[in-house]
Amino acid sequence: MPTNLPPDYFKIEEAFRKATSNEEKIALLKEMMSVVPKHKGTDRLRADLRRKLASLKRGPKGRKAVAQHRSPFNIDREGAGQVPVVGPPNTGKSALVRALTNATPEVAPYPFTTWTPTPGMMRFENVQIQLIDTPPLNEDHVEPELLSLIRRADVVLLVIDLQGYPIQEFEDAVGFLEQYRIAPSYRMEEYGGERGWSFKPFLILANKSDDPQDDEDAEVLQELLGDEWPVLPVSAETGRNLNRLKRAVFDLLQIIRVYSKPPGQEPDMSAPFVMAKGGTVQDFAAKVHKELAQALKTARVWGEHVYDGQMVGRDHVLYDGDVVELRT
Ligand SMILES: Nc1nc2c(ncn2[C@@H]2O[C@H](COP(=O)(O)OP(=O)(O)OP(=O)(O)O)[C@@H](O)[C@H]2O)c(=O)[nH]1
Ligand SMILES: [Mg+2]
């Protein structure tokens, strides 16, 4: 038992020993975790508390639910992309999902608050992107379903705490994911030949950058991690840089928005068709209507890369913001 624990700890521990209900024990364990100081000397104790908490949350052994419900980790894809928000405990993942989407996952000042994922929709301009709040990455309790969820992602947001130990958190999280063969896209060439790897675009969110003064720390962090790991300082609390965050996620998704213009009418600019970057007129037609794609003869395009109403063929590559009139 570490010697320098605050007196509160022992009071809570005593209450914990006397507690009878599961709920009460869970609440007291969380309290204990919040008062234990974070340093090497308490590593063992903290790991032990985490294990106890995990086992309490799992409930009594051998009492399997009768009906097999669908796993909460299996989340239907909605909108223009699926983007889990992952990272070590207490870095502000849930707070960010709350600030960016319509979802309201629990936020609390102690670690291991979130135990199941919560999806929410984030609006960027005229598209909706699905963010997913997730339980913390945890060496002591590896959740295989969380890893599968990350493997299905289009982009991964890795949240670290700029006011905590951001470099350590980054290294631990990346090392952890790598153990389970999840790596950033830029390493694809290196590991590409080996089977079973998932490569994802990552964005590092240096959360709790509440003040513009924190940017200096974020710059140092960026310097240390290198260009392959884009770092964005954000604050769930003050909303700093959340608009930049939305734009960055959109860019990492590598998607474009294309608008359909029925002949003789104006396009509906509030309802884009979302396609992968590099998509052609043919791909667009297939999105609008399957039969259209077959009957397509030519198309006219308005946008930055063409002159207004330029006639193009099926193979013409489209760009974000293009307006297309399909002709059969
Ligand atoms: N100052 C500051 N505090 C923040 C910010 N974002 C989150 N917090 C606080 O950090 C604590 C943890 O936030 P959560 O959103 O619960 O963190 P989490 O990463 O979801 O935690 P787990 O679910 O336990 O993994 C809470 O006390 C939040 O109020 C921020 O941008 N600035
Ligand atoms: Mg959380």
Side-chain angles (χ1 to χ4, degrees):
M1 178 69 53
T3 47
N4 55 350
L5 291 172
D8 272 351
Y9 176 84
F10 297 99
K11 282 191 207 136
I12 307 167
E13 192 188 35
E14 183 162 16
F16 174 77
R17 274 203 299 268
K18 289 181 186 153
T20 48
S21 81
N22 242 22
E23 281 76 1
E24 204 182 344
K25 284 184 187 167
I26 288 175
L28 288 164
L29 264 178
K30 285 183 176 173
E31 265 189 71
M32 278 152 85
M33 288 162 89
S34 72
V35 301
V36 175
K38 257 191 175 175
H39 55 71
K40 264 266 162 274
T42 60
D43 276 354
R44 272 278 245 337
L45 173 64
R46 283 181 294 131
D48 192 43
L49 292 174
R50 282 200 294 273
R51 258 194 303 277
K52 274 194 191 137
L53 184 61
S55 104
L56 276 174
K57 289 205 168 175
R58 272 197 302 275
K61 280 204 184 77
R63 224 190 59 196
K64 280 237 167 96
V66 183
Q68 278 288 332
H69 288 290
R70 195 173 163 200
S71 159
F73 286 85
N74 211 334
I75 294 169
D76 286 337
R77 189 173 289 270
E78 273 183 63
Q82 192 172 63
V83 182
V85 180
V86 309
N90 215 40
T91 52
K93 301 177 293 299
S94 301
L96 278 167
V97 170
R98 264 187 106 101
L100 289 162
T101 74
N102 55 338
T104 54
E106 190 188 347
V107 170
Y110 42 77
F112 300 97
T113 305
T114 303
W115 284 78
T116 52
T118 305
M121 299 309 287
M122 169 177 84
R123 173 176 274 285
F124 167 71
E125 295 179 352
N126 53 5
V127 290
Q128 298 275 357
I129 298 166
Q130 186 181 47
L131 298 190
I132 304 178
D133 180 33
T134 63
L137 302 176
N138 179 2
E139 294 271 3
D140 299 323
H141 175 68
V142 179
E143 177 60 75
E145 285 194 291
L146 173 58
L147 296 165
S148 308
L149 187 157
I150 300 172
R151 289 194 190 99
R152 289 191 296 269
D154 297 308
V155 168
V156 179
L157 296 178
L158 173 55
V159 183
I160 55 182
D161 179 350
L162 196 71
Q163 296 183 18
Y165 303 93
I167 296 167
Q168 189 65 48
E169 289 172 4
F170 166 81
E171 284 175 354
D172 290 351
V174 169
F176 175 83
L177 291 172
E178 202 158 323
Q179 269 181 52
Y180 297 96
R181 300 191 162 229
I182 298 168
S185 307
Y186 82 89
R187 303 189 74 168
M188 200 174 320
E189 301 242 313
E190 203 176 317
Y191 289 119
E194 289 178 48
R195 284 166 53 146
W197 282 86
S198 301
F199 298 98
K200 301 289 163 189
F202 275 78
L203 176 63
I204 310 300
L205 299 177
N207 190 36
K208 311 197 187 178
S209 306
D210 300 343
D211 204 275
Q213 283 175 351
D214 295 328
D215 283 358
E216 235 169 85
D217 292 343
E219 277 163 29
V220 172
L221 186 66
Q222 178 71 81
E223 199 100 322
L224 284 167
L225 305 193
D227 291 345
E228 275 113 352
W229 293 101
V231 176
L232 183 64
V234 295
S235 168
E237 192 136 303
T238 68
R240 262 192 89 229
N241 283 341
L242 293 191
N243 282 332
R244 279 178 66 191
L245 161 54
K246 292 178 187 181
R247 154 72 64 185
V249 171
F250 177 82
D251 289 342
L252 284 169
L253 282 170
Q254 299 275 319
I255 51 180
I256 57 170
R257 292 161 292 179
V258 180
Y259 305 87
S260 174
K261 177 187 175 323
Q265 290 176 40
E266 287 305 306
D268 179 356
M269 299 305 281
S270 68
F273 288 84
V274 174
M275 319 169 35
K277 224 178 217 174
T280 61
V281 167
Q282 173 73 28
D283 300 330
F284 174 67
K287 287 242 164 208
V288 179
H289 203 288
K290 215 164 124 198
E291 282 163 25
L292 243 179
Q294 277 158 12
L296 181 68
K297 294 222 170 61
T298 61
R300 293 178 69 193
V301 180
W302 288 256
E304 275 179 39
H305 295 78
V306 288
Y307 57 81
D308 272 357
Q310 186 174 327
M311 284 282 212
V312 298
R314 287 167 181 271
D315 295 335
H316 175 81
V317 173
L318 295 168
Y319 289 88
D320 188 41
D322 279 356
V323 171
V324 181
E325 185 183 276
L326 298 167
R327 301 189 153 192
T328 53

